[in-house]
Amino acid sequence: MYATTLGQTRHSFPDLKALLAAATPFRSGDALAGIAAESDEMRVAARLALADLPLKTFLEEAVVPYEADEVTRLILDSHDPVAFQPVASMTVGQFREWLLSDDADTAALTALAPGLTPEMVAAVSKIMRNQDLIAVARKTRVVTAFRNTIGLPGRLSVRIQPNHPTDDPQGVAASILDGLTYGCGDAVVGINPASDNTEGCIALMRLVDDIRQRYAIPTQSCILTHVTTSIEAINRGAPLDLVFQSIAGTEAANKGFGITLDLLREGREAALSLKRHTVGDNVMYFETGQGSALSADAHHGVDQQTVEARAYAVARAFKPLLVNTVVGFIGPEYLYDGKQITRAGLEDHFCGKLLGVPMGVDVCYTNHAEADQDDMDNLLTLLAVAGVNFIMGVPGADDVMLGYQSTSYHDALYIRSALGLRPAPEFEAWLESMGMLGPDGRVKELPASDAAFRRLLGPSDGTMVAA
Amino acid sequence: MSDKAPTPGDAPDPWARLRQATPARIGLGRAGDGLPTAALLEFQLAHARARDAVHTAFDPDAVAAQLDGLEMRRVHSRAPDRPTYLQRPDQGRRLAPDSAAGLEPGPYDAAFVIADGLSAAAVHAHAAPFLRAVLDRLPGWKLAPIVLASQARVALGDEVGERLGAALVAVIIGERPGLSAADSLGCYLTWAPRVGRMDSERNCLSNIRPPDGMPYALAADKLAWLMAEARTRKLTGVGLKEEAPGLGQEARAGIGRS
């Protein structure tokens, strides 16, 4: 039982998860679950109680029972008490102030990550303003590598997301080539296949790998299909770089995705066995998003932001190259409008980075959410200031397969120019070698007659080189 | 997307051929780092149409007028307005108490529910002609009164079908608008409807939207086939779709939250 008395009113919270839920900035998903604070005052009362809570409480009281949930067991069994030591005696409120102080520099935050649990970082995020989330995330550094290096200071990587409603190879190739002309694709060329059919996925793997090898592009590819399909593709000799999986923060929600921690381990070992990586051995790509556990009725009464942070504990156990929170995809019953989507994107990025996870964000919305491209511009800019590792690049921001709007190749140009951010170094060198960068290091606008452009797109009669 | 400004320089637009391979917005060109004005406003128009479709109020009178001669009932979900509907899918799946009373059980082979879903525009445009095409293909079926449902999700049909005592319920509903189509109609078929049915227990037709999407006659053929099979095999959902040749793609694409 936790409680705060404000004037004549006593606000009480029966347990830790109720306290966390009540302290959370308002979002529709927590209201749908019936766990949101009943008033604005109650919300702040919960934050006051949370601020006084010792951090070590989260090592003693699990929000999802240890016996019932392998994610809780992973979190508590892998907790590093030595790394935790610098903040072990702090309350949540003191932890916030320390995070904002100069003592919490990049080295200190990197060393601390294994000592933090997702519930600790979710708790502190609930008493932080958006600017706090940005200021602290900026100081973190999570660097990963496969064929290039992602997450270095002053860099922002971009996934090319060349989805097609029927996986048409020419259509997919056209969207990839379009993205390359904007300097995108250093995070990954990652396709959401329309069909989960194994042979269809293998055909897409071959398509992307052919393009990569033809132009000697230092990047990696991924077909975003179920981990079991990826393992089967590896067994059939497919050229697979990264194993993908959607993950969530409870065992039951992961069961809804058809996975266990053991299965993720098996997928990672299969990818490593191919030895296709050159610069580093991060071979996993995970996607997450607030609300997924609730939509699977697998949230155990825990608020959606705390459950989301637990998904990052799952991710970090498998040393991923990329973790992407698909923040506005799930719909208005979980995140109603631009304000809620913005807040959630900043929370997810902050929590993931503090836990040592290489966070990217799919800055996105659906047509039934109260949001538009102006909201996406705002969130994209905030996340780039916060040091997000990567974003999506979708032709014209319009994903014609999944039916939602994300960030575009143009948005990537904008944010790299606005903040002086550059691609992954190996990829940047490749762009330079292709004659695609101007003297200022920015991606040139290439006329159709330009040699670099013609190398990528083929002869002017339209014969496509790639497909 | 297709009416792009002429490419600078002396070469023909190299994207012209590639555009035929994908509906994606490729080769848009640049204005500095941003979009050319025409592409910017084209996107805004598509998004505006999608938003308008989501927020257009359902007009059951207009649909009823197109179905003159058929017995009808009007119902409302527990979601009183659009913002509630969007944030509380649980309320959109259940009948308002005063609506439930008007549905009396009968010995019905099937019930049809016309529901606004996420696009009243789709229902206004396509629901009546599609339903008429379906009814033409169901001689001898004992059908319940047509139910017109406001602020309704697919699963509202479970409660409607259960109260009517219908063996099958078909929910004709506006699909979530995309940028390319804001008036796409879907149809979900559920055997032995009752509150709590799962999406995996339904079959779905989507993108009923002539002239660009599926024509009424083809969609009606498919639905009549599914209804006859469902009645014979006493099931819908995953078990039925797997044995329906030529229906797999629509059925799979349609299973999901609605």
Side-chain angles (χ1 to χ4, degrees), chain A residues 142-146 148-151 187 220 241-245 247 264 268 271-272 280-288 311-324 352 355-360 389-390:
Chain A
V142 183
V143 179
T144 57
F146 188 90
N148 59 25
T149 312
I150 296 167
Q220 39 282 331
D241 289 344
L242 304 180
V243 166
F244 171 81
Q245 185 55 49
I247 58 171
L264 294 177
R268 178 166 183 268
L272 283 170
D281 67 351
N282 303 110
V283 298
M284 303 297 283
Y285 176 9
F286 294 124
E287 284 189 350
T288 67
Y312 308 146
V314 173
R316 73 173 168 180
F318 301 97
K319 300 180 168 46
L321 181 76
L322 307 161
V323 176
N324 175 27
L355 290 168
V357 170
M359 288 304 292
N389 279 27
F390 69 103

Side-chain angles (χ1 to χ4, degrees), chain B residues 17 33 43 77 133 234:
Chain B
R17 171 92 43 112
D33 292 330
F43 182 102
S77 79
K234 301 193 185 306

Side-chain angles (χ1 to χ4, degrees), chain A residues 32 164 171 178 333 336 365 367-370 373 395-396 398 403 405 410 413 417 442-445 453 461 464, chain B residues 10 14-15 17-18 21-22 25-27 29-30 33-35 43 47 51 55 86-87 89-90 176-179:
Chain A
L32 178 63
H164 187 281
D178 192 30
E333 61 267 48
Y336 182 59
Y365 64 107
N367 287 325
H368 58 325
E370 292 293 319
Q373 290 205 297
D398 174 9
Q405 287 88 251
H410 294 78
L413 284 181
S417 287
R442 295 162 64 197
V443 176
K444 287 193 293 193
E445 183 170 4
F453 196 78
D461 65 359
M464 195 151 66
Chain B
D10 52 5
W15 293 104
R17 171 92 43 112
L18 298 181
T22 178
R25 295 171 194 254
I26 60 169
R30 289 169 55 176
D33 292 330
L35 281 172
F43 182 102
H47 186 234
R51 300 271 306 149
H55 290 280
L86 291 171
Q87 293 179 78
D90 52 330
R176 191 175 95 191
L179 289 192

Side-chain angles (χ1 to χ4, degrees), chain B residues 37-112:
Chain B
T37 303
L40 172 79
L41 295 178
E42 185 179 8
F43 182 102
Q44 289 186 2
L45 178 60
H47 186 234
R49 285 176 171 159
R51 300 271 306 149
D52 283 348
V54 169
H55 290 280
T56 295
F58 181 39
D59 183 356
D61 292 340
V63 177
Q66 296 178 69
L67 292 171
D68 195 28
L70 294 174
E71 197 183 348
M72 278 174 268
R73 299 282 184 276
R74 314 243 174 131
V75 300
H76 202 291
S77 79
R78 291 182 189 175
D81 53 35
R82 212 58 176 162
T84 310
Y85 175 82
L86 291 171
Q87 293 179 78
R88 294 295 302 268
D90 52 330
Q91 295 187 10
R93 294 183 186 120
R94 296 301 303 273
L95 285 169
D98 61 338
S99 284
L103 300 175
E104 290 172 9
Y108 301 123
D109 296 323
F112 286 92

Side-chain angles (χ1 to χ4, degrees), chain A residues 82-338:
Chain A
V82 176
F84 182 55
Q85 206 50 47
V87 299
S89 62
M90 293 182 188
T91 62
V92 174
Q94 290 165 338
F95 183 42
R96 172 184 171 274
E97 291 175 354
W98 180 82
L99 286 171
L100 289 166
S101 76
D102 288 346
D103 291 342
D105 59 14
T106 302
L109 291 172
T110 304
L112 178 64
L116 295 177
T117 69
E119 290 83 358
M120 292 175 192
V121 299
V124 76
S125 79
K126 294 175 194 299
I127 60 165
M128 294 171 83
R129 285 169 49 190
N130 286 3
Q131 72 164 246
D132 298 346
L133 299 174
I134 294 168
V136 175
R138 265 185 80 78
K139 299 192 285 184
T140 62
R141 182 74 43 217
V142 183
V143 179
T144 57
F146 188 90
R147 284 194 195 94
N148 59 25
T149 312
I150 296 167
L152 291 168
R155 310 270 175 178
L156 173 71
S157 294
V158 185
R159 166 186 168 190
I160 286 180
Q161 184 169 313
N163 297 342
H164 187 281
T166 60
D167 296 337
D168 177 81
Q170 291 251 347
V172 169
S175 289
I176 293 173
L177 295 175
D178 192 30
L180 290 172
T181 66
Y182 294 85
C184 298
D186 52 336
V188 64
V189 177
I191 305 170
N192 299 85
S195 160
D196 273 333
N197 172 282
T198 307
E199 282 308 315
C201 289
I202 291 175
L204 289 173
M205 289 170 199
R206 296 216 163 95
L207 169 75
V208 185
D209 203 53
D210 285 350
I211 294 175
R212 179 186 67 80
Q213 297 209 41
R214 184 184 305 273
Y215 301 111
I217 311 171
T219 190
Q220 39 282 331
S221 64
C222 185
I223 307 305
L224 282 69
T225 186
H226 195 264
V227 58
T228 53
T229 307
S230 292
I231 292 171
E232 178 58 24
I234 290 170
N235 290 339
R236 294 189 199 177
L240 180 146
D241 289 344
L242 304 180
V243 166
F244 171 81
Q245 185 55 49
S246 292
I247 58 171
T250 69
E251 180 178 336
N254 283 329
K255 192 177 166 199
F257 286 134
I259 59 161
T260 60
L261 299 179
D262 276 341
L263 186 58
L264 294 177
R265 205 164 289 123
E266 197 184 321
R268 178 166 183 268
E269 282 163 11
L272 283 170
S273 74
L274 296 177
K275 300 195 186 327
R276 293 172 60 81
H277 51 284
T278 53
V279 182
D281 67 351
N282 303 110
V283 298
M284 303 297 283
Y285 176 9
F286 294 124
E287 284 189 350
T288 67
Q290 291 192 25
S292 62
L294 174 58
S295 79
D297 196 21
H299 61 109
H300 297 271
V302 180
D303 70 272
Q304 66 185 34
Q305 190 249 336
T306 300
V307 178
E308 172 71 5
R310 286 167 55 97
Y312 308 146
V314 173
R316 73 173 168 180
F318 301 97
K319 300 180 168 46
L321 181 76
L322 307 161
V323 176
N324 175 27
T325 172
V326 191
V327 67
F329 184 75
I330 193 159
E333 61 267 48
Y334 302 95
L335 296 169
Y336 182 59
D337 56 16

